[in-house]
Amino acid sequence: LWLTPREEEPQIVVPAADVVVTAPGLTPRQVERQVATPLEKLLAQIPGVEHVYATADYGRAVVTVRFHVGEDREGALVRLYNQLFSHTDRIPALVHDWVVKPIEIDDVPIVVATLWSEDPARLDDHGLHRLAQEVALRLQRIEDTNRIDVIGGRPREWRVEVDPEALTARQVTLLAVTRAIGASSRLLPAGSVDRRDEVLVVEAGAMLRSAEELAGLVVNVVDGVPVRLGEVARIEDGPAEPERYGWVRFGPAHPLHADLAETRPAVSVAVAKQRGANAVTVAEAVRTELAAMQETFFPPGVHVELLRDYGRTANEKIGELVASLGIAVLTVVVFVGVTLGWRAAAVVALAVPVCYGVTLGLDLWAGYTINRVTLFALILAIGLLVDDPITGIDNIDRHLLMAGDASPEERIARAVWQIRAPLVMSTIAIVLAFLPMSFITGMMGPYMAPMAFNVPVTVIVSTFVTFLITPWLARRLVAPGTAPVEEDTQLARIRRLYGAVVGPLLASRRRAGLFLVVVALLFLLACVLPALRLVPLKLLPYDNKNELQLVIDLPEGTSIERTDAVARRFARQLASVGEVEAVAGFSGMASPVDFNGLIRQYYLRGAPHQADLRVTLAPKDRRADQSHALALRLRPALEAIAAETGATIQLVEVPPGPPVRATVVLELHGEATTDAAALRAGALAAMERFRTEPGVVDVDASLRAPQTRLVFEVDREKAALSGASTADVAETVAVALDGA
């Protein structure tokens, strides 16, 4: 129990990767035909591939390849890279570049620490970003940490803001400026030279090392007079222009709510762990390092808010389950002690840790971690594993109390031999009952693998304990009797009560038949309850988590400032709820992904019209409602805001089982001649049908809303007469609008 790594969820290996292809200038239809479809066909040929998804956009395609659950991750990625690199000769000339981004559960952060400042005027998101970069470097030194990301804030940059009138007056084009900057800041290895019996390494070129050097850069020469960059542009050394916004707001459950009711700029540091590492120890080391930096490294007024700590929650959850396990064992021991005596109860009590010790040892050997599914399996097995020792000690106790000439050892051996067949057959029956769980496919298979492993192993070990350890303990703890045993008065009362209940049923055939009919009717009634929706039918119960996520989508084309304003409005509503501790906003960027978001590809969110809110709830011992009930209570107010602002929202709870793309997913497929407009119409009709279904909320589709596009068409003849090419015009417009 101490050595086995602990984490909140079972390790599920889902090998997957995103292939991001850039093809500038192509429309979505051209991207689909020339890039996405050929790539889909190519990736579908890889052995072990389960699904291939593709999305085509203007000048860009994202193709996601997902292998079967349980496939070897390294082998799957090797096959993927081999398939891509062995067909590079088939890449269209219009493809600018492509990159493969593997997806893995170990990339999910177990700790998300958000840095925020009491005085934004003194330390804004730019300063917090630079501080977070240093924090990430220090946290990387912790053993067993994996990927560490800094999310939010603005980095430092030298921004060159060109004056168009000054460019025209000095006969300098915008592209000349960008090319001069790119060509003037290069330092390349230039070989070596021998001088005086010494080999000198030579480098040629020069790097721009300050904003002053950049201002003095010559970008053109007019009539022998150099034109410097500072004459045609203003150069600023500072934070980048805001393209995304990150902030935090505190709710009533937070101690600082009364003093800090408004939002504060924030930057998050997301820390993941290595595969197989103990999430509890890694998270504890991260918390310790953050506390040390708070005392000695952070500027005054900078604080850390933990939005996620899976190490602490996993330890608390496992502690609760271990306590439940202890209560279950104590309950069994008390009942055995009342009925068979405390010596017999001691035999059963000593058998339980032996069974669990062997099982947990095999878990450690097999690579399983201690998580809620593992401990749920052990709690489920408590009633099964004590069955054999109780049966054994009951029969041994009966034989020892019988008078006879046989020695105690012979009586114990006879008692165990007498029940050998029932014990073995019951063990085989339990193993066969749980064996089908080993063949569950999809993500539910590895998720429930600890159940399929632990319950049969525990029961098998309990059978060996009954045959080997229980007799040995009974010889030392249970005293043999020497006189005939009279029937216990309590047992006689139980026998009379049982006879009074069952006797009338057995005495009359009509009453027995009526009793069976009543049982059958009750069984049918129980079967009808889910069909009538009087009882919800679920595979796994809701978990009581300390976090919620609100996914916000506004119409395509919405500015980042408008999106952030809408996200802050949702945050104000959430921060008014008494159970909310903090709300962290991520506008125009993806929030720190969890396992559920990994499957739903939330990490790809980053458009200006998209925002995420991460809601931290008060600990469950400080709130009356569970997280699911709280989500139901929050939904009406959030939907009202969404209706007013034109936003589409998804209130996402961490699922109790393995993640899924959605509760219900409908895929529409057309014939070879079906056009996109028909599929779009079918999808919209299906969405309207879903909205009319009781209990269905957050209906969304992978459709893109229409967005206004401005096409700057170049007159090639006029451009040629002006000495400019189509590429020059296109690049100039791109630099003027998006920068370079």
Side-chain angles (χ1 to χ4, degrees), residues 376-682:
F376 177 67
L378 296 180
I379 292 177
L380 175 66
I382 182 68
L384 302 174
L385 76 89
V386 299
D387 187 45
D388 287 354
I390 289 175
T391 304
I393 193 61
D394 178 52
N395 208 42
I396 290 172
D397 183 66
R398 186 171 63 86
H399 277 262
L400 286 177
L401 292 177
M402 291 180 181
D405 299 332
S407 65
E409 289 79 4
E410 292 175 344
R411 299 184 199 178
I412 293 175
R414 190 185 304 122
V416 175
W417 182 256
Q418 194 177 56
I419 60 174
R420 69 193 185 282
L423 293 183
V424 172
M425 292 308 299
S426 66
T427 300
I428 294 175
I430 294 172
V431 171
L432 291 177
F434 281 88
L435 190 61
M437 298 185 71
S438 303
F439 301 98
I440 299 177
T441 58
M443 275 188 288
M444 185 58 76
Y447 193 86
M448 300 303 292
M451 184 82 68
F453 178 82
N454 280 273
V455 174
V457 167
T458 305
V459 174
I460 292 172
V461 173
S462 72
T463 303
F464 280 100
V465 168
T466 303
F467 284 128
L468 300 175
I469 298 179
T470 300
W472 180 81
L473 288 173
R475 179 65 186 91
R476 283 154 178 78
L477 295 179
V478 181
T482 57
V485 181
E486 297 181 358
E487 185 179 47
D488 185 39
T489 56
Q490 183 179 2
L491 183 60
R493 287 196 299 269
I494 294 176
R495 185 169 297 178
R496 287 195 299 270
L497 178 61
Y498 183 78
V501 174
V502 180
L505 296 177
L506 298 178
S508 171
R509 188 177 185 88
R510 180 182 177 183
R511 280 197 293 261
L514 182 61
F515 175 76
L516 294 178
V517 169
V518 171
V519 172
L521 291 176
L522 291 175
F523 173 74
L524 292 176
L525 178 62
C527 295
V528 170
L529 290 177
L532 298 178
R533 298 185 178 180
L534 298 176
V535 174
L537 194 61
K538 286 177 55 63
L539 182 63
L540 294 171
Y542 287 110
D543 197 5
N544 192 9
K545 296 284 189 178
N546 291 341
E547 60 177 326
L548 294 172
Q549 181 182 4
L550 184 65
V551 179
I552 306 171
D553 288 281
L554 275 83
E556 279 84 347
T558 305
S559 66
I560 181 63
E561 287 76 18
R562 171 64 178 164
T563 302
D564 187 62
V566 173
R568 290 172 185 261
R569 184 172 176 183
F570 280 107
R572 284 195 298 270
Q573 174 61 37
L574 291 169
S576 65
V577 179
E579 293 90 342
V580 172
E581 275 195 349
V583 181
F586 302 86
S587 301
M589 57 180 168
S591 63
V593 70
D594 51 23
F595 191 21
N596 187 47
L598 197 68
I599 299 301
R600 299 186 178 191
Q601 295 185 311
Y602 284 162
Y603 55 88
L604 295 177
R605 295 172 55 82
H609 65 277
Q610 296 173 331
D612 288 357
L613 296 184
R614 289 282 178 177
V615 184
T616 305
L617 304 178
K620 51 188 175 183
D621 56 349
R622 288 170 44 196
R623 50 186 165 88
D625 289 340
Q626 293 196 348
S627 57
H628 177 64
L630 184 59
L632 295 177
R633 203 177 83 208
L634 293 173
R635 182 174 293 278
L638 298 177
E639 289 179 341
I641 297 176
E644 294 178 12
T645 57
T648 302
I649 63 170
Q650 297 178 36
L651 187 56
V652 183
E653 303 176 59
V654 179
V660 292
R661 296 184 67 87
T663 307
V664 178
V665 178
L666 174 66
E667 292 187 0
L668 298 180
H669 302 272
E671 302 294 336
T673 57
T674 305
D675 61 358
L679 283 175
R680 182 183 183 88

Side-chain angles (χ1 to χ4, degrees), residues 156 158 185 187 203 205-214:
R156 178 188 177 189
W158 297 341
S185 184
L187 184 63
E203 293 180 345
M207 297 292 292
L208 294 170
R209 304 186 184 278
S210 67
E212 289 74 16
E213 287 187 25
L214 183 61

Side-chain angles (χ1 to χ4, degrees), residues 153-207:
R154 292 178 292 165
R156 178 188 177 189
E157 70 176 17
W158 297 341
R159 188 166 64 254
V160 180
E161 296 186 353
V162 180
D163 184 352
E165 294 182 358
L167 288 178
T168 304
R170 291 167 175 79
Q171 302 178 20
V172 181
T173 65
L174 184 59
L175 294 184
V177 173
T178 60
R179 290 165 184 167
I181 295 174
S184 300
S185 184
R186 308 190 73 179
L187 184 63
L188 303 175
S192 61
V193 63
D194 295 342
R195 193 179 76 176
R196 297 178 183 177
D197 294 333
E198 184 180 3
V199 178
L200 301 179
V201 178
V202 179
E203 293 180 345
M207 297 292 292

